[in-house]
Amino acid sequence: MEKKAIVVGAGLVGSLWAVLLAKRGYTVDVYEMRDDPRKAGFLGGRSINLAMSTRGWKALEKAGIKEKIREVAIPMRGRLMHDEAGELSFQPYGKEGQAIYSVSRGGLNIELIRIAGQYKKLQFHFSKKCLGVDLRAGTAHFEDTHTGERISAEASLIFGADGAFSAVRRSLMKLPRFNYSQQYLEYGYKELHLPALPDGSHAIDKNALHIWPRGQFMMIALPNVDGSFTGTLFLPFDGPANSFEQLQTDEQVEAFFRENFPDSIPLIPGLLDDFRTNPTSALATIRCLPWCYEDKVLLIGDASHAIVPFYGQGMNSGFEDCSILDELMETHRDNWPKIIEIFNQDRPKDTNAIADLALRNFVEMRDQVADPRFLLRKEIEAYLNEKYPEDFLPLYSQVTFSHIPYSQALAEGFAQDRLFDRILAIEGIEKNWRVNPEVDEVFRQWMREREGMG
Amino acid sequence: MEKKAIVVGAGLVGSLWAVLLAKRGYTVDVYEMRDDPRKAGFLGGRSINLAMSTRGWKALEKAGIKEKIREVAIPMRGRLMHDEAGELSFQPYGKEGQAIYSVSRGGLNIELIRIAGQYKKLQFHFSKKCLGVDLRAGTAHFEDTHTGERISAEASLIFGADGAFSAVRRSLMKLPRFNYSQQYLEYGYKELHLPALPDGSHAIDKNALHIWPRGQFMMIALPNVDGSFTGTLFLPFDGPANSFEQLQTDEQVEAFFRENFPDSIPLIPGLLDDFRTNPTSALATIRCLPWCYEDKVLLIGDASHAIVPFYGQGMNSGFEDCSILDELMETHRDNWPKIIEIFNQDRPKDTNAIADLALRNFVEMRDQVADPRFLLRKEIEAYLNEKYPEDFLPLYSQVTFSHIPYSQALAEGFAQDRLFDRILAIEGIEKNWRVNPEVDEVFRQWMREREGMG
C-alpha cells in the first residue's frame, strides 16, 4: 500500500499529526487556509494562550519537541482567586511539583510547522481553503485564498483536522444517518491585555492561573513569556445586568470593572480600547458521529469534538487523538480499516466525557472556587490523595495529570461527588477535619462499597 | 399592520396552520415542493398512517374538520401483542371509551388542503421547492420543480413548516450561535402491506394497534379504512443477527419472518416483494434553538422538532404548535414580536420532552409490552386512575388523552416510575394486588411525600 495522506488544517492538531505520520514514513500533504505563519506571523482563530498538561506533553514528546516547548512554557501551579476586595486565595492544581503550563498558541503552532517542515516527504500548502471532500473518490478540493485558483488532491487517507468549522466534516454531514450537534453557551468571551511591568517582569504572580470568580461570570488571566498576561472576560451575551449587551459605552465598561474587578483596573491600562476593538466571541460544544467515512476519511481534534475551554483540555484532547492513533499505527501497522474502526468506536465516549467535564468546570471556575466549602473539599481531596495514593486520585488530577480515559475520569468524578456529599455533611467538618477520624471512616466505607460493586 | 404571511410547506402542519391564519383574516401564501396532491395523488415522505389523539383533534376542531376526519378514522383502543406462538394479549390505552385513531396521512393532508382552498385570501403554490430565506429582508426563494423557474416572495411573517429537512431552518442555521442537533437511531423501518380479506373486512382486530414485540426489534400494524393494515418493521440497520444488513435474500427474509413473526406470514402475501421494493428508512430526532429570526421567521412542526414515531405524537405535537400559536394570537392579537417571543421561550421544553418520551417508548413497545411485570403495572395504573382520578393519571394518558404540557407529563412520568418501583417491590404483588391494602398505602404515602415537596 502506498503510504500517502492528506491532512486538512495546519493548526495545532493538524501539524502535530502530520509530524507523527511523517515519522512513520508517510508522504504527507498538509493544506491550510491561512497563510504560512512562519512568514505571515500567527493569526489565530482562538485565544492566544493555552494550558498544556500531561496529555498534551505526551504528544509533543512523540513529535520530539517537548523539551523545546517546555523551555518557553510557564508553569501554573494552581488557581489564584481575586475577590472583590482584591484579596487573594490560592488553590493548588495537584501535588507539589505538578503544574499546568501556559503556552503561546502561535509560538507552539509555528514550532510544530517548523519541525514538520524538516521531513522531506511532508509538504505544506498554505492559503488553500478546503471546499469539501469527495468521500468516495478520496479527493479533497481547495481554493487558493489569494489567486482563487482551484486545485484538487487525492490520497487513500484524508484527515480532517480543520477545526470546529471543519469543511471535511461538512462533507461527512451529507452522508445518511450522520449524527451532529452544535450547542452554544449563552456566554461570550473577550480578550484583554495585561502588559508587563516596565522592567519586563510580570505584574502579578506568574505561576498561577488568575481567576476573578463572580458567580454568574468571571475573568481569568494566563501568563505570557514577555511578562504580560492575557485576560479573558466570560460574560453572558444578553441580560438585564452583567452582560455584554449592557456594556456598550466606555462609562458602562469602567463602572462594571470598578464594581466587579477593581484590582484588575491598574493591570489593564488599555481596557477601554481592548473592549471596543477585540471581538466578543462565542463558545460552542460540537459533537458528531461517525468521525469517519469508511477507511478513507477521518476527523480529529476540534473537527470532531470541539469543547468549551474551561478544563483547558481542548488542545490536550486533540493531541491525545494523535497519540492514540499513533499507538494504533504501532499496534496495527498500516491496517487503516482496523485503526479507523477502533478509533471511531472507542474514542468518542472519551471526548464526549471531556465535553461534559468542560461545561461542568465553567460553574466550578466562575462560582465554586469562591466558596469556602469547595476549597475545603479540595484540601480534603489533597489529603486523601496523599494518604491513599492507590485508591484516591482527585478528578481534576485524573483529567489533567494522568492518561486515564476521560470517560473513566468522569464516572469517577460522579462517585467522588457522592463521597464528598457524605464527608462535607460531617458535623463541624470545616473546623476539625484534620483530626477527625470520621473523614477516614467515611472514605474507607465508600471504598468498601465500591469494591462490593466492582 | 398588513396581515400577510408565507407558509413554507403544505404538509399536515403547514396546511393546518394556513387554515388557522386564514380564519384570523390573514392573506396566506403556501409554498409546497410536491405537486398538488388533489390532482397528483398523495406522495408522502413518511409512513402512510398516523395515530391521532387528543392534541391533534383539538387543532382539527379549530380548523373545522374534526367531524369529517373522525368519520374515516379507526379507533384503536389498545395494544394487541402477538407473541412468537401467535398468542394475543391486550393492553388498553386508557379508560373505557378512550382510543387513539388510525388516520391516513394522505387523506388527512388532502382534506386540510381542500378546506384551506376555500379561503379566498389563501393561495397554494405547488411544485415550488424552497431554496432558502433571506431572513433580514423577509424574502423566501423558490424554484419550480418542473420548469426550474425561480421566484421570490415577501412577507413580514414567514413560517417554516417544511419538515425535518427544512430549508427555512437551513437559513436559520447560518445565524451565529444557532443550536442544532440531529440524532439518528441505529434502527431503520420498512413498511409492509397487510391486505383486506376478499370481502373487504379486516383480517385481524381493527380496533387495536398490533405489536409483535421481540426485545431488540418489533413489527407493528395499524388499520386502514379499506380493510388493509399497514405493517412497519423496526429493525437495527447493522449487526450480526436480526438486522436489515442480514436480510438480503428472499430466503433470509422468509426465515426471519418464520422465526419471529410466524402468525403474520399469511397476513402479508406480498412480503418478499414489499421487502425488496420498499425503502429502508431512517429515524431521527432533530432539535434546534432558537426557532425564530426576530419577529419575522418562525419554524413549526418537524422543522423545529422532528421526533421518532413511537409515541404517536409527531403530528399531534405539530398540530399542538398550531393550537398554541392560535391561542397566542387570540390573547396578543397580532402582536407577533410578543407571540414569537413567548412561543420560542415556552414551547421548546415541551417538544424536547416529547422527543425524550418518544425515544423511551420505543423500548416500551419493542420490549416491555411483552413483560408480565409491565402489564401488571399498567393494570395497577388503571386501578389507581379509577380510584384516585384527581391524583393519578398514568403518563400515557397525560401524553395521549390530555393537554397537559409534555414537559410536565415527563416529570410526572419519572415520579410515577418511583411509585411503581415501590409498588412492584411489594411481596407477592402479582398474585394478590387487587385485595392487598399495601398498594393503596404505598400510593397514599407517595402522594403525601409529593405534597410535602410541593
Side-chain angles (χ1 to χ4, degrees):
Chain A
M1 189 192 128
E2 179 204 31
K3 294 177 66 161
K4 185 164 181 267
I6 288 170
V7 176
V8 182
L12 297 172
V13 170
S15 47
L16 175 71
W17 178 233
V19 171
L20 298 186
L21 283 171
K23 278 179 104 92
R24 293 197 179 267
Y26 281 76
T27 300
V28 187
D29 285 278
V30 186
Y31 293 84
E32 165 61 42
M33 183 168 66
R34 298 197 183 91
D35 295 339
D36 187 345
R38 292 169 298 188
K39 299 173 197 159
F42 185 82
L43 286 169
R46 293 185 70 176
S47 57
I48 71 167
N49 45 22
L50 302 159
M52 180 83 66
S53 57
T54 300
R55 296 170 207 258
W57 288 121
K58 176 177 178 179
L60 288 188
E61 189 163 27
K62 281 175 178 285
I65 58 167
K66 179 179 172 187
E67 293 314 317
K68 186 147 189 192
I69 299 300
R70 178 61 192 83
E71 282 165 24
V72 292
I74 304 174
M76 301 181 289
R77 304 191 202 290
R79 297 161 168 160
L80 199 54
M81 274 70 78
H82 298 236
D83 74 9
E84 283 87 344
E87 296 294 321
L88 301 179
S89 51
F90 181 75
Q91 184 248 308
Y93 279 129
K95 292 193 287 199
E96 187 72 33
Q98 285 183 323
I100 62 175
Y101 290 79
S102 181
V103 168
S104 147
R105 172 186 289 268
L108 175 59
N109 207 152
I110 288 174
E111 206 51 58
L112 283 165
I113 290 170
R114 280 210 186 106
I115 204 91
Q118 294 172 6
Y119 292 86
K120 284 206 187 94
K121 288 161 84 180
L122 191 161
Q123 219 175 339
F124 282 100
H125 308 265
F126 288 100
S127 319
K128 300 289 181 290
K129 181 186 163 138
C130 182
L131 303 174
V133 171
D134 183 337
L135 300 173
R136 261 167 217 93
T139 312
H141 303 286
F142 304 94
E143 183 178 82
D144 189 289
T145 57
H146 300 296
T147 64
E149 190 197 353
R150 296 206 169 184
I151 56 164
S152 295
E154 242 184 85
S156 52
L157 281 171
I158 298 177
F159 295 95
D162 50 344
F165 302 101
S166 170
V168 180
R169 188 184 66 227
R170 223 159 40 231
S171 295
L172 284 169
M173 276 197 73
K174 291 174 190 157
L175 293 172
R177 294 162 55 204
F178 188 77
N179 297 295
Y180 176 73
S181 153
Q182 57 183 45
Q183 302 296 332
Y184 283 87
L185 285 194
E186 303 287 312
Y187 285 73
Y189 72 92
K190 195 184 277 287
E191 292 198 345
L192 303 168
H193 183 63
L194 288 67
L197 294 176
D199 68 355
S201 66
H202 290 85
I204 49 178
D205 184 350
K206 75 168 179 174
N207 292 122
L209 190 152
H210 294 259
I211 310 183
W212 289 257
R214 296 296 179 266
Q216 290 305 303
F217 59 96
M218 71 172 178
M219 183 165 68
I220 65 171
L222 276 76
N224 301 315
V225 277
D226 66 0
S228 70
F229 281 79
T230 304
T232 311
L233 173 65
F234 295 91
L235 196 64
F237 278 104
D238 307 304
N242 299 330
S243 70
F244 280 112
E245 189 189 14
Q246 300 299 320
L247 300 181
Q248 299 295 333
T249 68
D250 286 356
E251 291 68 35
Q252 288 169 330
V253 173
E254 270 187 330
F256 174 77
F257 271 75
R258 264 201 311 274
E259 185 181 338
N260 294 293
F261 312 119
D263 69 330
S264 80
I265 293 176
L267 302 172
I268 321 175
L271 173 63
L272 298 177
D273 275 346
D274 279 7
F275 213 94
R276 271 191 306 263
T277 313
N278 295 348
T280 306
S281 306
L283 297 154
T285 301
I286 293 176
R287 309 179 203 236
C288 67
L289 204 72
W291 290 357
C292 57
Y293 174 74
E294 297 181 353
D295 55 349
K296 297 176 199 295
V297 179
L298 181 66
L299 302 176
I300 55 176
D302 282 2
S304 44
H305 52 86
I307 63 179
V308 297
F310 305 108
Y311 226 117
Q313 289 292 316
M315 166 200 53
N316 285 290
S317 65
F319 280 9
E320 193 176 53
D321 286 356
C322 300
S323 298
I324 291 171
L325 284 169
D326 189 63
E327 280 150 24
L328 288 170
M329 279 201 280
E330 180 72 31
T331 309
H332 300 282
R333 299 296 152 185
D334 302 305
N335 184 350
W336 281 100
K338 192 84 198 158
I339 295 170
I340 289 180
E341 186 196 334
I342 294 173
F343 190 72
N344 184 62
Q345 184 76 45
D346 291 354
R347 181 66 173 155
K349 68 177 182 310
D350 291 314
T351 57
N352 277 327
I354 192 60
D356 293 342
L357 283 163
L359 288 164
R360 173 179 147 145
N361 224 42
F362 185 27
V363 183
E364 179 165 323
M365 289 179 79
R366 73 174 197 243
D367 198 0
Q368 294 168 342
V369 293
D371 179 350
R373 301 279 291 179
F374 173 83
L375 298 177
L376 174 64
R377 170 173 169 167
K378 288 287 178 182
E379 279 183 53
I380 301 174
E381 282 184 0
Y383 160 80
L384 291 173
N385 180 218
E386 178 137 345
K387 186 151 177 192
Y388 308 97
E390 299 296 309
D391 292 330
F392 186 81
L393 185 60
L395 170 61
Y396 188 89
S397 298
Q398 297 197 21
V399 170
T400 308
F401 303 123
S402 93
H403 300 289
I404 294 168
Y406 291 127
S407 58
Q408 200 177 315
L410 178 61
E412 187 67 17
F414 286 125
Q416 293 181 0
D417 284 349
R418 298 295 79 75
L419 168 64
F420 278 90
D421 287 347
R422 284 144 76 173
I423 289 180
L424 295 178
I426 297 171
E427 208 174 305
I429 180 73
E430 59 283 357
K431 292 187 210 98
N432 64 355
W433 69 268
R434 280 175 202 280
V435 294
N436 189 336
E438 252 193 275
V439 171
D440 288 71
E441 279 160 28
V442 168
F443 175 74
R444 283 193 296 262
Q445 174 60 27
W446 177 76
M447 279 301 299
R448 275 193 300 275
E449 289 167 18
R450 306 185 79 207
E451 278 154 18
M453 282 168 56
Chain B
M1 187 190 131
E2 181 204 27
K3 294 177 68 160
K4 184 164 181 268
I6 288 170
V7 176
V8 182
L12 296 174
V13 170
S15 49
L16 174 72
W17 178 233
V19 171
L20 298 186
L21 283 171
K23 279 179 103 93
R24 292 197 179 268
Y26 281 77
T27 300
V28 186
D29 284 278
V30 186
Y31 293 83
E32 165 62 42
M33 184 167 66
R34 298 197 181 91
D35 295 338
D36 186 344
R38 291 169 299 188
K39 299 173 195 159
F42 185 81
L43 287 170
R46 292 185 70 176
S47 58
I48 70 165
N49 45 20
L50 301 159
M52 180 84 66
S53 56
T54 301
R55 295 169 209 258
W57 288 121
K58 177 177 176 178
L60 288 188
E61 188 163 29
K62 280 175 178 285
I65 58 165
K66 181 180 171 185
E67 293 315 316
K68 186 147 192 194
I69 299 299
R70 178 64 192 81
E71 282 164 26
V72 291
I74 303 175
M76 301 181 289
R77 303 191 204 289
R79 297 161 167 159
L80 198 55
M81 273 71 75
H82 298 236
D83 74 10
E84 283 87 344
E87 296 294 319
L88 301 180
S89 52
F90 182 74
Q91 183 248 307
Y93 279 131
K95 292 192 287 199
E96 187 71 35
Q98 284 184 325
I100 62 176
Y101 290 78
S102 182
V103 169
S104 147
R105 173 186 288 268
L108 175 59
N109 206 153
I110 288 174
E111 205 50 59
L112 282 164
I113 289 170
R114 280 209 187 107
I115 203 92
Q118 295 172 5
Y119 291 87
K120 285 209 186 88
K121 288 159 85 182
L122 192 161
Q123 219 175 339
F124 282 100
H125 309 265
F126 287 100
S127 320
K128 301 289 181 291
K129 181 187 164 135
C130 183
L131 303 174
V133 172
D134 182 339
L135 300 173
R136 260 165 219 94
T139 312
H141 303 286
F142 304 93
E143 183 178 83
D144 190 290
T145 56
H146 300 296
T147 65
E149 189 197 356
R150 297 206 169 185
I151 56 163
S152 296
E154 241 185 84
S156 53
L157 280 172
I158 299 177
F159 296 94
D162 49 345
F165 302 101
S166 170
V168 179
R169 188 184 67 227
R170 223 158 41 230
S171 296
L172 283 168
M173 277 198 73
K174 291 175 191 157
L175 293 172
R177 295 162 55 205
F178 188 77
N179 297 295
Y180 176 73
S181 154
Q182 59 183 47
Q183 303 296 330
Y184 283 86
L185 285 194
E186 302 289 311
Y187 286 72
Y189 71 91
K190 195 184 276 288
E191 292 198 344
L192 303 168
H193 183 63
L194 288 68
L197 293 177
D199 68 355
S201 67
H202 289 84
I204 49 178
D205 184 350
K206 73 167 182 175
N207 291 123
L209 191 151
H210 294 258
I211 310 184
W212 289 257
R214 296 296 179 265
Q216 290 305 304
F217 59 97
M218 69 173 180
M219 184 165 68
I220 65 170
L222 275 77
N224 300 314
V225 277
D226 65 0
S228 70
F229 280 79
T230 303
T232 311
L233 173 65
F234 295 93
L235 196 64
F237 278 105
D238 307 304
N242 298 331
S243 70
F244 280 112
E245 189 189 13
Q246 300 300 320
L247 300 181
Q248 299 295 333
T249 67
D250 285 357
E251 291 68 34
Q252 287 169 331
V253 173
E254 270 186 330
F256 174 77
F257 270 75
R258 264 200 312 273
E259 184 183 340
N260 295 292
F261 311 120
D263 69 331
S264 80
I265 293 177
L267 303 172
I268 321 177
L271 174 63
L272 298 178
D273 275 346
D274 279 6
F275 213 93
R276 270 192 306 265
T277 313
N278 294 347
T280 306
S281 306
L283 298 154
T285 302
I286 293 176
R287 309 179 203 236
C288 67
L289 203 72
W291 290 357
C292 56
Y293 174 73
E294 296 181 353
D295 55 349
K296 297 176 199 296
V297 179
L298 181 65
L299 302 175
I300 55 176
D302 281 2
S304 44
H305 52 86
I307 64 178
V308 295
F310 306 106
Y311 226 117
Q313 289 291 315
M315 166 201 54
N316 285 290
S317 65
F319 280 8
E320 193 176 52
D321 286 355
C322 300
S323 297
I324 290 171
L325 283 168
D326 189 63
E327 279 150 26
L328 288 169
M329 279 201 280
E330 179 72 30
T331 310
H332 299 283
R333 296 299 149 183
D334 302 305
N335 184 351
W336 281 98
K338 192 85 198 158
I339 294 169
I340 289 179
E341 186 196 333
I342 294 173
F343 189 70
N344 184 62
Q345 184 77 45
D346 291 353
R347 180 66 173 156
K349 69 176 181 309
D350 291 314
T351 56
N352 277 326
I354 191 61
D356 293 341
L357 284 163
L359 288 164
R360 173 178 147 143
N361 224 44
F362 185 27
V363 184
E364 179 164 322
M365 288 179 79
R366 73 175 197 242
D367 198 358
Q368 295 170 342
V369 294
D371 180 349
R373 303 280 291 178
F374 173 83
L375 297 176
L376 174 65
R377 170 173 169 167
K378 288 286 180 184
E379 279 183 54
I380 300 175
E381 282 185 359
Y383 160 79
L384 290 173
N385 179 219
E386 177 137 344
K387 183 148 177 196
Y388 308 96
E390 299 295 310
D391 292 328
F392 187 81
L393 185 61
L395 171 60
Y396 188 89
S397 297
Q398 295 196 24
V399 170
T400 307
F401 302 124
S402 92
H403 300 290
I404 294 169
Y406 290 126
S407 58
Q408 201 178 313
L410 177 62
E412 187 67 18
F414 286 126
Q416 293 180 1
D417 284 349
R418 299 295 78 74
L419 168 64
F420 278 90
D421 287 346
R422 285 145 74 174
I423 289 179
L424 296 178
I426 296 170
E427 209 174 305
I429 181 73
E430 60 282 359
K431 292 186 211 99
N432 64 355
W433 68 268
R434 278 174 204 281
V435 294
N436 189 336
E438 251 195 275
V439 172
D440 289 72
E441 277 161 31
V442 168
F443 175 74
R444 282 193 298 263
Q445 175 60 27
W446 177 76
M447 280 301 299
R448 275 194 300 275
E449 289 167 18
R450 308 184 78 206
E451 278 154 16
M453 285 167 55

